[in-house]
Amino acid sequence: MRLTSDQDAFGHAAQDHHRGKPAYEIIERSDGLFAISGGPAVYLSGYASWRAHEQAALEHARGLVLDIGCNAGRHALLLQLQGLDVLGVDVSPLAIETARLRGLAKAEVLSINELSGKLGTFDTILMLGNNFGLFGSAAGTRRFLRRFKGFTRPGSTLIAESLNVYATDDPDHLAYLAENRRRGRMSGQIRMRGRYKRFVTPWFDYLMVSPEEMEALVADTGWQVRKCYHSEGPLYAAIIERIA
Amino acid sequence: MRLTSDQDAFGHAAQDHHRGKPAYEIIERSDGLFAISGGPAVYLSGYASWRAHEQAALEHARGLVLDIGCNAGRHALLLQLQGLDVLGVDVSPLAIETARLRGLAKAEVLSINELSGKLGTFDTILMLGNNFGLFGSAAGTRRFLRRFKGFTRPGSTLIAESLNVYATDDPDHLAYLAENRRRGRMSGQIRMRGRYKRFVTPWFDYLMVSPEEMEALVADTGWQVRKCYHSEGPLYAAIIERIA
């Protein structure tokens, strides 16, 4: 799976931002809500501007690292600079091209569905940038965590960021969460697509959970949440260890 | 014509910005392009941040003033402060409510189609904020300029801002302009709608023209472009006098 150029909203935005052009990312939610995300300015931001929980979580990276959904490689580039061996993967060809242009030595166009032991055995998996969301659903989380055993070892660490969707009083958001529950989905299973100019990604489910939900989801998969880092706002990072 | 609450994207954004909440305005063009406009941060901005051509054009305002598409009233409020008698009109009920909250004494929910001599005889008509666009088309420009005679007098001044659509090298924009010409429309007759959160305006045509096109459009309507003010960027303001 790789995005076509027309679908590569994230990649075009990353590339334009990298070239110094004004770029942005618009998120369309399945209920017709349109919002502006942090977008390329965040995805290509430097360490000093990162939130405390993100900086703290990154300290847990070691050894061979796989950065899933790396976009233009902000986390991967820092770890590479620190001497770690990092592979960045993303479904966006232009994001990967931009990551390479910015100096990321190992970067491949791959979706989370295409990862396997052929890529190596990783000590650390990075899913920062709210990328716990890539698991897509409760079932997806459990399925991927089991599958991740094919390219990690006991003691490997998953560093993942999520967003506590309950930390809002916005009536639109609260109605969306309630409707999800009514339909038997997790509250924070958000169906969305990304837009930039005329580029638009396919619709996809992105999962955002509270720390308690994350802990429960991970249980019985052979992984365990060891620690959570919080800073201001609803985003937080979890250190998840492979225990079996 | 007044926008319903669901359609009042501009008004909800203005109101939220006025209340200190983060707000934005997304523009969807008929070819599927999505962009972020200056939005409420511009519509509610203070004089010091306005562009030079906008400040210079406003100096031409005098007497009884009608501000068409006034949004939250940034221009109207300044002129009111200077002692002029200003009526602000907008199709957005929430923008008008916000203008009143900000202190605009005379503000009514009215579209450009609903203006008539019943409102008074105006010395100045303001269509800043790129609001020459409200004329919608070449035919609309001529029709409205003739109709404006019903509530102005010879010597009255129309202060209008437009955007020179040709000042771009963006291939998406250039293709859109070419397609418009192919269909017999003016290059800069942009079909669009505005979005904020789940609010979305109806589709409407918004006309953006070069200074030369404006001069030609206005000819033979009893109005004449007397002066153009430019500053950096494609926006400019024209001083248009009623000569017959």
Side-chain angles (χ1 to χ4, degrees), chain A residues 24-29 31-36 170 172 175 195-199, chain B residues 24-29 31-36 170 172 175 195-199:
Chain A
Y24 49 89
E25 176 183 296
I26 293 169
I27 298 295
E28 178 180 0
R29 200 169 63 183
D31 62 344
L33 179 134
F34 284 71
I36 301 170
D170 183 302
D172 273 335
R195 291 182 172 277
Y196 170 57
K197 293 181 168 178
R198 296 180 66 188
F199 307 108
Chain B
Y24 49 88
E25 177 182 295
I26 292 168
I27 298 295
E28 178 180 0
R29 200 169 63 182
D31 62 344
L33 179 134
F34 283 71
I36 301 170
D170 183 302
D172 273 335
R195 291 183 171 277
Y196 171 57
K197 292 182 168 178
R198 295 180 65 189
F199 307 108

Side-chain angles (χ1 to χ4, degrees), chain B residues 88-108:
Chain B
V89 298
D90 203 289
V91 291
S92 159
L94 284 174
I96 289 297
E97 186 179 315
T98 306
R100 288 188 187 132
L101 280 172
R102 297 173 82 214
L104 189 59
K106 293 165 64 182
E108 299 295 336

Side-chain angles (χ1 to χ4, degrees), chain B residues 175-222:
Chain B
Y176 194 88
L177 305 185
E179 172 65 11
N180 263 343
R181 287 191 296 272
R182 204 190 58 75
R183 294 170 58 202
R185 293 155 64 98
M186 289 198 75
S187 301
Q189 186 173 338
I190 313 295
R191 190 148 186 81
M192 60 168 70
R193 54 184 176 176
R195 291 183 171 277
Y196 171 57
K197 292 182 168 178
R198 295 180 65 189
F199 307 108
V200 54
T201 71
W203 287 101
F204 60 96
D205 278 358
Y206 204 66
L207 181 66
M208 305 186 209
V209 295
S210 69
E212 296 73 24
E213 287 175 329
M214 186 187 286
E215 199 165 338
L217 275 178
V218 166
D220 302 321
T221 60

Side-chain angles (χ1 to χ4, degrees), chain B residues 45-93:
Chain B
S45 64
Y47 181 83
S49 69
W50 301 352
R51 270 166 281 207
H53 71 268
E54 202 175 356
Q55 296 175 336
L58 263 183
E59 300 285 330
H60 291 261
R62 64 198 165 72
L64 188 60
V65 181
L66 176 64
D67 185 354
I68 304 176
C70 69
N71 196 284
R74 76 179 187 281
H75 303 116
L77 283 162
L78 178 78
L79 297 183
Q80 179 180 281
L81 202 65
Q82 292 174 348
L84 301 190
D85 186 356
V86 191
L87 169 62
V89 298
D90 203 289
V91 291
S92 159

Side-chain angles (χ1 to χ4, degrees), chain A residues 23-104:
Chain A
Y24 49 89
E25 176 183 296
I26 293 169
I27 298 295
E28 178 180 0
R29 200 169 63 183
S30 57
D31 62 344
L33 179 134
F34 284 71
I36 301 170
S37 81
V42 169
Y43 305 149
L44 283 82
S45 63
Y47 182 82
S49 69
W50 300 353
R51 270 165 280 208
H53 71 268
E54 203 174 356
Q55 296 176 336
L58 262 183
E59 301 284 329
H60 291 260
R62 64 197 165 71
L64 187 61
V65 180
L66 175 65
D67 185 353
I68 303 177
C70 69
N71 197 284
R74 75 180 188 279
H75 302 115
L77 283 162
L78 177 79
L79 297 183
Q80 179 180 281
L81 202 66
Q82 292 174 348
L84 302 190
D85 185 357
V86 191
L87 169 63
V89 298
D90 203 288
V91 291
S92 160
L94 284 174
I96 288 298
E97 187 179 314
T98 306
R100 287 187 189 134
L101 279 172
R102 297 173 81 215
L104 189 59

